[in-house]
Structure formats: C-alpha cells, structure tokens
Amino acid sequence: MNQTSQEGAEGVAAPKAAAPKAAAPKAAAPKAAEQPPVHPRFTKPQRVAFVQSAWHRDVIDECRIAFLSEMEARHISHIDVFEVPGSFEIPLHVQILAKTRRYTAIVAAGLVIDDEYVAETVIRALMDVQLRTEVPVFSAVLTPQQFHESAAHVEFFRKHFATKGVEVAEACANTLLSLERLRGQVAAGIVA
C-alpha cells in the first residue's frame, strides 16, 4: 500500500488524496562542532611516569605524544618522562620508580624487533612490579613479527604506536579512577 492511494475491498482504487505540497527544501542546519568527550575528574592529583626506550625513538615518540595528549584531556597533567636505552632496561627503571611511591601509575613503551623472548620477559617483569608494589603498570611494549627498516614499515608503526598511546592512556586513566573509587570504598569500610 502506498501513501497516496488505498485499494478498497474489491480491489478498486479509491480516489487519490491530494498530495501534500512539497515543502521548500531547508538549508542544511549547520552541524554543531563535535564536542570532546567529558572525562571524570579525580579526587586526588595523579602523577604518572612514562618510561620509553630510546631504540626506534621516532616510532616510540608517537606513543608518548599521543599518550600525553590523551592524559591531558583526562585531567592528568603531572607526567614525568624517562628514557632508557632499550626495552630490556624498562622493568628495572619501572621498579625503582614504583618503589618511590611518587607515582600513581607507570607506563612503559618500547619496540622489540623479532625477539619474542625479550618481549615476554619485559611484560612478565612489568606485571611482577605491579603486583609487588601495587602501583599499576601499563605496557605499550610491542613486538611485531615482520618489522623491516623500510619507510613504509616505520610509518605504519608510527601510526600504530600513536593509537597505542591513546589506548594506554585510556587504560591508565580508567584504572586510576577505578582504584581511587575502590580505595575510597575500602577506607569507608564498604569493601573489607
């Protein structure tokens, strides 16, 4: 059945109703500028350490830049950046920083080329630091399977590390909010 004609019971078309006058086309309403997401604020100031490897600095810097930008949008501006020679050196620095108790979270960023053993060792060590110190540790230490020093690969991984920087910032901020809430509940006796 269409909107302008209806068939009667015997299949005879009923008279068509007058078609409504077409309204003059409206000018497209200007789209409102897309508003950035509103992120919750923390009760207490947060201080985060960002530890990055110097190896393939041009790639890792993309992670750091994206991380810093996203963290600022999430109301965390106290971020100290540390650089180590390579990814293998990251866990020791993270552990020393965690033991200072100055940081509410620590983020590690590095690129391990074609060495899954080193990557697994680094990730396992970061998890150990987190569990021993109760300071959350986040990893943007990646190990691509087929990395070549070509311009195309480097550019691909620069973009990939920028994405990882945003993702690790989201994970860090959300975890800090969750821990702040949990610690408040523990202090209030809500959670034993």
Side-chain angles (χ1 to χ4, degrees), residues 104-189:
T104 52
I106 303 172
V107 176
L111 180 62
V112 179
I113 304 297
D114 296 327
D115 195 334
E116 288 182 36
Y117 172 76
V118 169
E120 285 179 30
T121 301
V122 170
I123 300 302
R124 188 173 296 116
L126 293 175
M127 179 59 75
D128 289 346
V129 169
Q130 173 175 254
L131 294 174
R132 274 194 313 272
T133 64
E134 295 185 6
V135 174
V137 177
F138 300 89
S139 175
V141 176
L142 306 178
T143 180
Q145 296 297 318
Q146 300 283 325
F147 183 82
H148 304 286
E149 297 284 339
S150 69
H153 265 218
V154 170
E155 186 57 29
F156 171 82
F157 282 102
R158 286 174 56 117
K159 290 177 183 173
H160 187 62
F161 265 86
T163 300
K164 290 297 172 192
V166 171
E167 291 173 354
V168 77
E170 290 171 353
C172 181
N174 290 339
T175 300
L176 288 173
L177 281 166
S178 175
L179 288 173
E180 187 176 73
R181 202 170 28 252
L182 178 62
R183 288 179 177 135
Q185 291 171 341
V186 169

Side-chain angles (χ1 to χ4, degrees), residues 34-47:
E34 195 171 307
Q35 297 295 320
V38 177
H39 299 292
R41 294 197 177 268
F42 292 88
T43 315
K44 297 179 180 176
Q46 305 295 310
R47 185 178 201 111

Side-chain angles (χ1 to χ4, degrees), residues 22-118:
K26 292 182 180 179
K31 291 185 178 182
E34 195 171 307
Q35 297 295 320
V38 177
H39 299 292
R41 294 197 177 268
F42 292 88
T43 315
K44 297 179 180 176
Q46 305 295 310
R47 185 178 201 111
V48 176
F50 187 91
V51 182
Q52 73 177 70
S53 97
W55 201 63
H56 283 287
R57 183 180 291 118
D58 58 326
V59 174
I60 306 302
D61 278 348
E62 295 300 320
C63 182
R64 179 182 44 77
I65 291 165
F67 174 81
L68 294 173
S69 176
E70 184 66 22
M71 290 300 272
E72 186 175 338
R74 292 171 177 273
H75 317 292
I76 301 174
S77 57
H78 299 291
I79 300 171
D80 297 333
V81 176
F82 300 88
E83 189 173 78
V84 297
S87 294
F88 199 74
E89 292 78 23
I90 290 173
L92 178 58
H93 284 73
V94 167
Q95 179 171 290
I96 291 169
L97 292 169
K99 285 182 175 182
T100 69
R101 310 309 279 169
R102 291 185 68 203
Y103 299 99
T104 52
I106 303 172
V107 176
L111 180 62
V112 179
I113 304 297
D114 296 327
D115 195 334
E116 288 182 36
Y117 172 76
V118 169

